Amino acid sequence: MEQSIESYIKTLVRDVIGQTLGGLEIQSDRQTYVIANWKMNKNLNETAEFFQKIHSSPDVSVVICPPVQLLYPSHLFIKQSGKPLGLGGQNVHWADKGAYTGESSATMLKDVGCEYVIIGHSERRQYSFEDDELVNKKVQQAIKSGLIPIICIGETLGQKNAMQTEQVLSKQLFGALKDIDSSQFILAYEPVWAIGTGQSATAELAQETHAYIRSVLKQIIGQKAECISILYGGSANEKNASEYSAMPDIDGVLVGGASLHAESFDAIINVFAKGEQKS
Ligand code: PEP
């Protein structure tokens, strides 16, 4: 995807400048992303139909993350359509290869056309017991293999009610980014209580939390934190997208339910493509 090569080069240049200029402020020019997480949904016909209907925009990086068996057909549909859409996996194994039944390696994902991979989604943390250490191993493997990790973090309702949000996010960030010497990653703040519930975080709360996340990121990677795209995820849809897009630290959205229909997903892309005036 042309756009992501361009953004890769931009980030690389910023990395070098960041290392050279040390603590100096870096002018931020963050990439906007609208990313679809289809989870365990869709068959081949529905996938073909989606790629026929979906539009793209030169102003937004649109990435589709289908289930693993639909990755290669999706790659072919994207090529056939000529639309500048990116492709991502929903999970990756930390090892290069080996006896890991049912798993996919980073090189396998790349081989079927992926440039991105979601890591540490709360559903995997919950159902597959992925902890920060495992998330970190997967992030390392993705970066080493040339995939851009979309790292998910977020607090549960219990943690929110116990006023532990900042503590939880900080631990997840330090854990996921341990020994990572790269800014080739995307963060997604996905409060667990907002995922699939229709109870989206208000844009104000999301902005406040994203600003906090960026402040922690600064402690970890310094001024390069200004260049990292932080996406909001959790019941984002065509109705609330414009509120998120107006916020200065919200650089796009990771969308589950509303990404399954080309019409609603298109509407979200359009909102971010218009580039609402950031407040
Ligand atoms: C997700 O699971 O990444 C997600 C954001 O889901 P939903 O939009 O359905 O809440």
Side-chain angles (χ1 to χ4, degrees):
M1 183 179 145
E2 239 171 72
Q3 217 172 1
S4 75
I5 291 169
E6 190 190 310
S7 83
Y8 175 83
I9 292 167
K10 271 189 192 170
T11 318
L12 212 63
V13 168
R14 280 191 223 111
D15 270 9
V16 173
I17 292 171
Q19 273 156 21
T20 314
L21 299 183
L24 288 183
E25 277 289 321
I26 298 171
Q27 192 62 39
S28 86
D29 175 19
R30 291 191 290 271
Q31 188 74 35
T32 302
Y33 289 92
V34 175
I35 301 183
N37 176 13
W38 286 356
K39 310 189 186 188
M40 199 171 70
N41 290 293
K42 287 201 188 292
N43 60 27
L44 204 48
N45 281 340
E46 291 163 344
T47 302
E49 198 185 322
F50 179 93
F51 283 109
Q52 266 166 17
K53 286 189 181 167
I54 192 76
H55 294 95
S56 53
S57 160
D59 303 321
V60 180
S61 288
V62 179
V63 180
I64 313 294
C65 302
V68 73
Q69 83 282 9
L70 293 172
L71 283 172
Y72 191 58
S74 297
H75 169 65
L76 297 180
F77 292 139
I78 291 172
K79 264 178 82 171
Q80 210 173 40
S81 74
K83 296 169 190 169
L85 300 167
L87 187 66
Q90 295 177 12
N91 181 35
V92 67
H93 199 269
W94 54 266
D96 290 338
K97 58 174 165 176
Y100 300 103
T101 303
E103 296 284 348
S104 310
S105 72
T107 41
M108 287 170 181
L109 293 182
K110 286 200 75 181
D111 201 32
V112 295
C114 290
E115 297 161 285
Y116 299 87
V117 63
I118 296 173
I119 296 178
H121 191 281
S122 61
E123 285 153 15
R124 292 205 60 84
R125 290 182 191 254
Q126 185 186 349
Y127 302 127
S128 300
F129 309 106
E130 294 192 0
D131 59 13
D132 293 332
E133 200 182 325
L134 183 56
V135 168
N136 176 250
K137 283 169 87 171
K138 291 183 175 202
V139 171
Q140 303 228 23
Q141 180 68 359
I143 290 175
K144 182 184 103 175
S145 313
L147 284 170
I148 298 180
I150 303 158
I151 307 167
C152 299
I153 56 171
E155 80 286 2
T156 63
L157 184 60
Q159 290 164 337
K160 177 177 183 269
N161 290 341
M163 315 281 275
Q164 291 170 345
T165 300
E166 293 193 350
Q167 195 184 322
V168 169
L169 296 177
S170 172
K171 180 174 170 292
Q172 289 177 339
L173 277 169
F174 273 96
L177 297 173
K178 186 166 173 277
D179 300 328
I180 302 290
D181 182 25
S182 164
S183 49
Q184 294 296 317
F185 61 87
I186 297 166
L187 284 178
Y189 168 56
E190 298 209 303
V192 181
W193 47 269
I195 295 180
T197 59
Q199 310 272 309
S200 52
T202 62
E204 290 72 22
L205 177 63
Q207 162 57 31
E208 204 178 292
T209 314
H210 281 222
Y212 172 75
I213 290 169
R214 205 175 299 286
S215 74
V216 176
L217 208 46
K218 272 190 192 152
Q219 293 172 37
I220 305 173
I221 61 167
Q223 286 301 325
K224 283 186 278 178
E226 289 295 338
C227 305
I228 303 295
S229 299
I230 307 178
L231 318 186
Y232 169 76
S235 299
N237 57 39
E238 63 276 35
K239 295 197 186 87
N240 56 28
S242 62
E243 291 164 32
Y244 296 124
S245 80
M247 293 295 168
D249 283 291
I250 301 183
D251 308 307
V253 277
L254 176 54
V255 188
S259 73
L260 294 175
H261 304 286
E263 295 77 9
S264 47
F265 194 58
D266 250 351
I268 298 172
I269 296 168
N270 283 337
V271 166
F272 280 90
K274 272 198 268 161
E276 294 278 327
Q277 200 58 44
K278 297 274 185 195
S279 54

